[in-house]
Amino acid sequence: MTQTDRTNRQWLLAERPQGEPNKDTLRLSEADIPDPGEGQMLLRTEYLSLDPYMRGRMSDAESYAASVEIGDVMVGGTVAQVVRSNLKGFQPGDYVLSFSGWQDYALSDGAGVTNLGQSPDHPSWALGILGMPGFTAWAGLTQIGEPKSGETICVAAATGPVGATVGQIGKLLGCRVVGIAGGPEKCAHAVDDLGFDACIDHHAADFADQLAKASPDGIDVYFENVGGKVLDAVLPLLNDHARVPVCGLVSQYNATKLPDGPDRLNWLMGLILRKKLKMQGFIIFDSFGSLYPEFARQMSDWIEAGKIKYREEVIDGLENAPEAFIGLLRGDNFGKRVIRVGQKEGGA
């Protein structure tokens, strides 16, 4: 199923999933390729970003952003090429960072679109280390975590696009970094390739004990993006005045009800009070959008100097997006997961 210049393939939300999305959640449809009107441009998707937040958009529960309506194209960040343009500042052949969603082609009036030029290096990186995940790591850590040299930072999903970046920035700032990841291979990558001081496999039977041993001086900054049993193991280790940036709770996204067990909300509130903790949720562009130029300059410098490493997992074919997304929610990804959509007939 290759991309053509005749048909626009689209993944539409077919139903609201109960629990984990499945083969019936999205429906593959075909539509005509639209023509750009005055003040519009036609974009052809090259890369589609897969991100955990998309699970929330499938739901109609109250959230920080509007839900995708049944029958609408699934939302998503994309790197696309301009095919035709009636819009000043965008020429055919330009690569752009856009939000075209899960489809081959989309119209845009330029709102929220960033022009990446005719020949950017690693264009898909605009969806990862130089885009929303990298910005989330940098801003959440520096603006909320406020780490000081010598402190201990703990980050879950340590080899994902956010966690891997958090840990590497933490090392650049002179901190001890303890990662949490799923499996020995991911943990070895965090330590051997990314420079973490330690990484604990959350599948281990003695996970909480291992985490405590790896954090002998407690934890000063916990970058939260998972929740669940990982949060349970981290909370007792937090030091007085610890900071907890909260950017996600991926372990809970498929939950349909609160977990069984006692209500521990009062215990958590007591912990926040006694230890003077700061826990702050944030939505990256809503909370820190004005800082993006500063982030882009700093991250570009670190990458050019070889101080930040980035792992990207590219999956070919728009048709494979639903299965790849389900796997992402299960933690199957190893690095930033993107779909290479732009495999046109006759070549890339």
Side-chain angles (χ1 to χ4, degrees), residues 10-91:
Q10 301 175 312
W11 279 108
L12 310 179
L13 184 64
E15 62 180 29
R16 301 209 183 277
Q18 297 298 312
E20 183 177 87
N22 57 41
K23 62 182 178 61
D24 297 320
T25 301
L26 296 161
R27 173 172 60 86
L28 187 61
S29 180
E30 292 186 351
D32 293 335
I33 298 173
D35 292 319
E38 187 66 27
Q40 291 184 320
M41 57 183 168
L42 176 65
L43 304 179
R44 180 178 62 82
T45 305
E46 288 277 351
Y47 295 95
L48 167 67
S49 179
L50 295 182
D51 300 286
Y53 78 82
M54 294 172 174
R55 175 60 184 84
R57 303 291 180 88
M58 294 176 174
S59 170
D60 59 1
E62 183 178 354
S63 185
Y64 63 88
S67 302
V68 177
E69 296 296 331
I70 300 296
D72 282 357
V73 176
M74 188 60 202
V75 299
T78 54
V79 167
Q81 266 197 308
V82 178
V83 179
R84 296 193 297 276
S85 176
N86 299 319
L87 197 58
K88 184 178 180 181
F90 296 93
Q91 302 297 323

Side-chain angles (χ1 to χ4, degrees), residues 156-179:
T159 60
V162 174
T165 309
V166 167
Q168 292 181 87
I169 295 174
K171 291 303 298 180
L172 290 172
L173 298 178
C175 296
R176 174 177 175 80
V177 175
V178 179

Side-chain angles (χ1 to χ4, degrees), residues 130 295-308:
L130 292 172
F295 153 75
R297 288 192 297 270
Q298 179 67 84
M299 186 56 69
S300 295
D301 289 344
W302 280 336
I303 292 172
E304 185 174 353
K307 295 180 178 180
I308 293 286

Side-chain angles (χ1 to χ4, degrees), residues 83-213:
V83 179
R84 296 193 297 276
S85 176
N86 299 319
L87 197 58
K88 184 178 180 181
F90 296 93
Q91 302 297 323
D94 286 348
Y95 282 83
V96 297
L97 175 62
S98 58
F99 297 90
S100 300
W102 294 35
Q103 58 183 341
D104 284 313
Y105 294 90
L107 294 178
S108 171
D109 63 2
V113 175
T114 301
N115 196 326
L116 304 175
Q118 292 270 329
S119 54
D121 293 331
H122 307 293
S124 61
W125 287 18
L127 300 171
I129 190 65
L130 292 172
M132 181 268 289
F135 188 23
T136 297
W138 178 86
L141 183 61
T142 61
Q143 304 303 304
I144 300 175
E146 299 180 305
K148 304 173 184 64
S149 180
E151 289 188 327
T152 296
I153 296 171
C154 180
V155 58
T159 60
V162 174
T165 309
V166 167
Q168 292 181 87
I169 295 174
K171 291 303 298 180
L172 290 172
L173 298 178
C175 296
R176 174 177 175 80
V177 175
V178 179
I180 299 169
E185 183 182 5
K186 291 182 178 180
C187 285
H189 173 66
V191 174
D192 298 339
D193 300 326
L194 303 180
F196 285 40
D197 294 284
C199 187
I200 311 302
D201 180 2
H202 64 73
H203 295 307
D206 59 344
F207 162 62
D209 290 339
Q210 288 191 42
L211 183 62
K213 290 177 182 177

